[in-house]
Amino acid sequence: MSTHDLTTLRSAAAEIFTAAGVEPTAAVNVADALVEADARGIASHGLMLVPMYVDRLLAGSVSTSTHPVVLVDRGAMALLDAEHALGIVTSDVAMALAVDKARQFGIGIVNVRHAFHFGGAFRYVQAAMDAGMIGIAASNTRPLMPAPGGATPVVGNNPIAVGVPGPDPVLVDMALSEAALGKIRLADSEGREIPNTWATDSSGQPTTDPAAAIAGLLLPAGGPKGYGLALVVDVLTGVLGGGGFGSAVRGLYADTTVPNDCAHLFIAIDPEFWDTPDAFAARVDALGAEVHASEVAPGVDAVLLPGQRERESSRRAHAQGITIPASVVEALVQTAQRVGASLPAELMPAGSRA
């Protein structure tokens, strides 16, 4: 493990993406999204994704385009075709459009089809929150979880995030499996076991072996509740927008020449259409105050609002840097060498420094 400042890590990732053919501004935005995920303590959506993104860029299943095609733009709703471009790039565009529509209509809903992995969903709801709006972002993934009583995967661990602005903001960002597949891949790369509540092996037996879990099935959060919500997200993303859904969505780590073909949904809601911004913020603050004032269980210092722990992690990271596993740093170095990118000296192996 080694600690690095965020600027160094952003620069390294941006250099790699630029060398892989991504337009420089887009490369910086993708790098920023991944580094911020690490800063928030969501390593499964951080820099560990760089090699996979680059593999797909080089194989051609991810496009270097930065402008999704507008298929429908009608009132408060729009439908975009990402044409398999980097999901972070097209999702930034989609949420910005949803926010613009919400300013006009009170709500903006943008669906994106033929899309690619968009990283941490928190990024897009935070963009809506920064505009004073409630934000919702969701995506579907390849089938990873069974239906209750089933033995084959039929629905993805589809992530959904909701962000509420205010003096003490609320930000829920979760996959609908007990744990994100990225967390299991990270444990596998670090040689760690996983809790036996996260996944099963290929025979359907709970496992602590991350490699067996990757070959097996993820378990839905809350059992049938998580399964039901995941199925609904598949409807609101791929089914609604005419994009990939169910088995049409392909694995990120499968054949890198075949597009991921997931779908996204972005919603922005302007509270000002109901009341003044100050009045809404006061009610959000009052709700948060009730939560913080609640009695705590033995051994617990305080209860937190959703997203509070991640915000505090990000503040520390911006001040102190991020501790990155050696396996992730090594993968960054190898990927940089593959595309001919120059990395900051502190990330290079000691023997290769000038």
Side-chain angles (χ1 to χ4, degrees):
M1 304 285 277
S2 54
T3 301
H4 305 278
D5 66 82
L6 275 65
T7 300
T8 297
L9 295 172
R10 283 196 205 94
S11 175
E15 286 290 335
I16 291 171
F17 287 126
T18 301
V22 179
E23 186 271 329
T25 299
V28 169
N29 290 339
V30 175
D32 178 69
L34 299 182
V35 171
E36 184 57 28
D38 277 316
R40 292 173 67 88
I42 314 171
S44 59
H45 290 66
L47 290 169
M48 68 168 285
L49 296 173
V50 171
M52 182 268 290
Y53 280 19
V54 170
D55 284 346
R56 288 190 161 273
L57 284 162
L58 297 181
S61 64
V62 170
S63 164
T64 57
S65 171
T66 58
H67 301 289
V69 176
V70 179
L71 300 176
V72 177
D73 189 346
R74 186 177 303 150
M77 302 180 70
L79 172 64
L80 308 183
D81 189 330
E83 297 188 320
H84 308 297
L86 284 163
I88 292 167
V89 174
T90 58
S91 296
D92 282 347
V93 172
M95 183 53 93
L97 179 57
V99 167
D100 285 344
K101 287 183 171 296
R103 288 196 179 100
Q104 183 178 358
F105 301 105
I107 188 170
I109 304 173
V110 178
N111 197 288
V112 184
R113 68 189 188 193
H114 302 318
F116 177 65
H117 188 262
F118 67 9
F122 68 86
R123 176 178 176 88
Y124 315 109
V125 299
Q126 185 64 59
M129 293 163 68
D130 290 344
M133 299 185 186
I134 296 170
I136 302 172
S139 176
N140 60 3
T141 77
R142 72 177 175 95
L144 292 163
M145 304 189 301
T152 57
V154 294
V155 69
N157 62 334
N158 303 335
I160 184 168
V162 180
V164 182
D168 200 3
V170 174
L171 200 166
V172 177
D173 181 3
M174 61 182 182
L176 292 170
S177 58
E178 187 66 25
L181 183 59
K183 290 184 178 180
I184 296 174
R185 291 190 181 280
L186 184 61
D188 187 42
S189 71
E190 296 176 359
R192 292 186 286 107
E193 289 190 340
I194 60 173
N196 66 2
T197 56
W198 284 12
T200 72
D201 61 21
S202 58
S203 69
Q205 293 298 310
T207 183
T208 61
D209 179 356
I214 292 169
L217 298 172
L218 295 184
L219 293 172
K225 296 179 182 180
Y227 156 74
L229 286 172
L231 191 66
V232 167
V233 170
D234 215 4
V235 171
L236 293 175
T237 54
V239 175
L240 178 64
F245 60 89
S247 61
V249 182
R250 311 310 292 266
L252 292 171
Y253 291 86
D255 186 343
T256 57
T257 66
V258 178
N260 173 221
D261 204 22
C262 65
H264 303 148
L265 176 73
F266 303 93
I267 300 174
I269 302 170
D270 189 352
E272 193 171 348
F273 272 63
W274 281 269
D275 209 337
T276 66
D278 288 345
F280 173 74
R283 292 196 294 270
V284 172
D285 197 34
L287 177 61
E290 285 190 16
V291 174
H292 288 307
S294 62
E295 293 187 16
V296 298
V300 177
D301 293 330
V303 293
L304 305 177
L305 290 172
Q308 186 175 343
R309 191 184 307 277
E310 290 78 9
R311 286 196 303 277
E312 292 172 355
S313 174
S314 179
R315 291 190 193 101
R316 288 193 301 271
H318 280 264
Q320 303 170 13
I322 305 173
T323 300
I324 302 293
S327 61
V328 174
V329 175
E330 181 181 356
L332 285 176
V333 172
Q334 291 175 351
T335 304
Q337 292 170 342
R338 184 180 178 194
V339 297
S342 299
L343 295 188
E346 70 177 81
L347 292 175
M348 300 300 293
S352 66
R353 297 175 190 171

